[in-house]
Amino acid sequence: MEKKKVAVPLLCHGHSRPVVDLFYSPITPDGFFLISASKDSSPMLRNGETGDWIGTFEGHKGAVWSSCLDTNVLRAASASADFFVKLCDALTGDELYSFEHKHIVRACAFSEDTHLLLTGGVEKILRIFDLNCLDAPPREVDNSPGSIRTVAWLHSDQTILSSCTDTNGVRLWDLRSDKIVQTLDTKSPVTSAEVSQDGRHITTADGSTVMFWDANHFGLVKSYNMPCNVESASLEPKHGNKFIAGGEDMWVHVFDFHTGEELDCNKGHHGPVHCVRFSPGGESYASGSEDGTIRIWQTGPVTHVENEPLTRNGPSGKVKAVADEVALKIESGLHIGREGKTGERDKVTDG
């Protein structure tokens, strides 16, 4: 009897609590990288292709809701329930600055030119910090109709996007006037908003629906009802011909962008999927879950015979010796110590 073939993801352990946000860097001369935010308070940096752990950013005392890297992968930022956004050196893991807020911070994003950092959270205030003058007070845009859930930059850093936890729609703000210039109407509050790599589309997930919007004229391009309640969606960046979505059914669904037909369904997580993102080249995509793991799925036909033993990082061809690499990272000052450990942890605030 022919054995069933199943998709094999690269399985990334390390977080001890749910993974709530994922962010891929652009492709750099050193490859591309993946940073994850988790309720365990410790964002982690990984090789985006292999999933190999590089380092852990320490210092937060509450759940981390969002994390991101700047365009050159020189700095990382993380937004937390401890009322702080931390700016760190992505090469050494050292903290560069802590931006204090008055309430839980849910989202952060570097500007395209890497000079600014945008934050938002329960205070209903969008803040823009000048990274060339860290002690300067931030610019504030305080007309958000609700607690801010997601933020993003577009139009060469002239426009910012935000969605709210308890208010439907996505708002586009013109930074020349600090005014809302457009609202993208959705059926429910938007839990995920992504600007495509080419800047042409905005992808939103609002529970029952995934929508695609023209990022320049703000018209609705496509709208698809989902088979389950989804929390996150991402558009394939190279060809734009498919998209992924994940949510409460614990599966990662792949759909045709033009027709909405489901092309694939990846099973493996043991809890709801909170975040999904395509890699910058579109050759793989990552999912983060309530079960505390990250899984990296290949876009191509990477399969494995069911019931045969799997290595930690999927097919044996992907496994590589990392002893020298880890030793090098220890010498360079990265924080090496929490990978794979799920024992007693300090109590963190979820927010």
Side-chain angles (χ1 to χ4, degrees):
M1 186 175 68
E2 185 179 352
K3 292 186 178 180
K4 182 181 177 182
K5 299 215 169 177
V6 294
V8 177
L10 305 179
L11 179 57
C12 306
H13 292 287
H15 286 297
S16 60
R17 299 202 64 204
V19 178
V20 293
D21 188 41
L22 294 170
F23 181 93
Y24 273 108
S25 78
I27 297 173
T28 75
D30 297 314
F32 60 94
F33 301 88
L34 175 66
I35 190 170
S36 55
S38 168
K39 290 184 180 180
D40 66 7
S41 79
S42 300
M44 289 186 176
L45 183 66
R46 297 178 183 274
N47 180 300
E49 182 178 5
T50 66
D52 288 340
W53 178 74
I54 295 173
T56 297
F57 299 98
E58 300 180 332
H60 279 296
K61 294 179 173 61
V64 174
W65 288 107
S66 176
S67 58
C68 58
L69 298 163
D70 70 12
T71 306
N72 302 314
V73 198
L74 296 177
R75 293 171 296 186
S78 51
S80 173
D82 64 7
F83 299 8
F84 282 95
V85 171
K86 291 189 180 294
L87 180 70
C88 294
D89 187 312
L91 302 179
T92 66
D94 295 334
E95 182 179 312
L96 301 176
Y97 203 82
S98 282
F99 300 103
E100 187 172 3
H101 295 63
K102 296 177 182 177
H103 214 305
I104 294 165
V105 194
R106 290 295 302 264
C108 60
F110 285 102
S111 59
E112 184 180 343
D113 66 11
T114 74
H115 297 315
L116 305 172
L117 181 64
L118 172 64
T119 70
V122 176
E123 286 182 86
K124 306 180 183 180
I125 298 173
L126 292 163
R127 288 186 173 90
I128 301 172
F129 295 91
D130 184 348
L131 300 182
N132 295 317
C133 188
L134 296 176
D135 291 325
R139 178 179 176 181
E140 294 187 352
V141 182
D142 59 1
N143 295 318
S144 177
S147 173
I148 297 164
R149 174 72 180 263
T150 66
V151 297
W153 297 85
L154 62 163
H155 300 160
S156 300
D157 303 332
Q158 295 300 307
T159 307
I160 55 178
L161 169 159
S162 71
S163 71
C164 297
T165 303
D166 47 9
T167 306
N168 297 1
V170 171
R171 276 143 290 281
L172 286 305
W173 307 76
D174 187 329
L175 288 181
R176 292 167 294 187
S177 63
D178 288 350
K179 303 290 185 183
I180 297 173
V181 293
Q182 187 74 35
T183 299
L184 310 181
D185 294 324
T186 61
K187 299 176 182 178
S188 305
V190 169
T191 53
S192 170
E194 175 192 72
V195 180
S196 64
Q197 192 169 282
D198 60 10
R200 293 176 55 196
H201 293 102
I202 299 169
T203 304
T204 63
D206 64 9
S208 61
T209 313
V210 172
M211 295 181 174
F212 301 92
W213 310 81
D214 186 307
N216 294 309
H217 303 291
F218 306 126
L220 181 62
V221 178
K222 299 280 186 182
S223 178
Y224 297 116
N225 293 325
M226 292 290 100
C228 70
N229 189 55
V230 299
E231 190 172 339
S232 182
S234 181
L235 179 64
E236 195 276 334
K238 193 170 183 181
H239 305 290
N241 58 352
K242 64 181 70 173
F243 68 96
I244 53 175
E248 66 180 14
D249 68 355
M250 302 184 284
W251 301 343
V252 181
H253 302 266
V254 184
F255 299 93
D256 185 290
F257 171 77
H258 300 289
T259 66
E261 176 189 0
E262 184 166 329
L263 304 175
D264 204 356
C265 180
N266 297 308
K267 305 176 182 180
H269 282 296
H270 301 290
V273 175
H274 294 307
C275 44
V276 293
R277 284 294 179 263
F278 263 104
S279 66
E283 68 281 352
S284 62
Y285 48 93
S287 55
S289 168
E290 182 75 17
D291 64 16
T293 67
I294 300 165
R295 293 171 189 259
I296 299 176
W297 312 82
Q298 299 302 312
T299 304
V302 177
T303 58
H304 189 84
V305 177
E306 194 172 29
N307 297 327
E308 285 190 4
L310 298 179
T311 60
R312 175 184 169 272
N313 278 337
S316 58
K318 288 285 185 182
V319 179
K320 50 191 247 184
V322 296
D324 293 341
E325 184 181 355
V326 171
L328 180 62
K329 289 163 192 165
I330 293 174
E331 292 173 2
S332 66
L334 275 172
H335 303 292
I336 312 285
R338 292 192 172 180
E339 168 67 356
K341 294 185 179 180
T342 57
E344 191 72 22
R345 298 292 303 274
D346 294 337
K347 183 178 179 182
V348 297
T349 305
D350 287 353

